[in-house]
Structure formats: C-alpha cells, structure tokens
Amino acid sequence: MKKLYILFALMICSLSFAQETSSIKGKILDGEFFNEPLLMASVTLDNAAHSTQTNFRGNFEFNDLTAGTHNMLVQFVGYEPIHLEITLKEGEQAEILETLNAKRPVLPSTTNVSSTSESTLSSLKLAVNKTRQ
C-alpha cells in the first residue's frame, strides 16, 4: 500500500512539471534570385540566445522554446536584415516564410561630387601657379 502512495505521488509530481514546449520553423527565400531558397542565412532568436543557419533548402528550426514573445533576426551578407516578433502559445509550432532582398547601394549625389571636384581643381590651380612663380 505504501508503494502505491509513492507511485501515485510521483505521477502527480511528474505531471505538474511537464510543460509543452513550442517551436519555430521556417524557410528563407532569396528575393534577388527568383525566390530560390537562401542557404546559410543567419537566423538568431532572442538576441543570440538561440541561433542557426538555413540549410540548402533555406529551412531552419528552433525547438524546445518557451511560450511567449520571441524576437527573431534574419540576415545574410549583402541583404537587408529582417526583424520579426513572434508570439508562441504553449505547444504551438509557428511557421515562417520570409524573403530577403539585396541592399541598395547609396550613390552620392552629383552636387556633392561636382563641389568636391571644383575644390580639388581650385587646389590644383593654386599649386600649379605657386610652382610657376
């Protein structure tokens, strides 16, 4: 009888400590190359508490996560990073499908270029005039 009580107590304790964990899985696509899977993109969760890279099919997965809000950062060299806020319920599996686009280069305006070249030309004219004298 004593063994039965101990067994019953252990079962109650194990049920109270059992928690369902949540997970996030997803796929990252390359917006510059016909939405092909983007391999080896960096995916970090909760300020690098969890991190991984996408596989050759652009897939990633995080398991054994607690329920609540998680911040995700997806990045790849030469591409604009994506920041996502994901709220998970207990036992839920969130699925993410995102596309990364290339960074656009910032070109200097023609006004800045011409004003720089004019000041450079003025400096050169002064230097030439000084050497002639």
Side-chain angles (χ1 to χ4, degrees), residues 5-90:
Y5 286 125
I6 292 173
L7 181 63
F8 183 70
L10 286 174
M11 286 177 52
I12 296 295
C13 289
S14 67
L15 290 176
S16 66
F17 288 113
Q19 292 181 351
E20 287 190 54
T21 58
S22 303
S23 63
I24 300 173
K25 71 181 213 176
K27 186 171 198 162
I28 305 300
L29 302 175
D30 186 344
E32 302 303 315
F33 195 63
F34 307 111
N35 286 331
E36 290 291 321
L38 188 60
L39 60 119
M40 306 309 284
S42 172
V43 184
T44 57
L45 197 61
D46 297 330
N47 296 323
H50 305 281
S51 65
T52 189
Q53 291 182 326
T54 57
N55 63 15
F56 288 103
R57 292 189 175 109
N59 297 321
F60 68 92
E61 190 169 353
F62 293 106
N63 293 314
D64 299 326
L65 299 174
T66 58
T69 302
H70 298 276
N71 294 309
M72 181 183 290
L73 171 65
V74 182
Q75 54 190 356
F76 190 74
V77 176
Y79 286 71
E80 292 290 337
I82 296 176
H83 298 274
L84 302 170
E85 188 173 285
I86 301 163
T87 303
L88 293 173
K89 296 178 184 172
E90 194 171 310

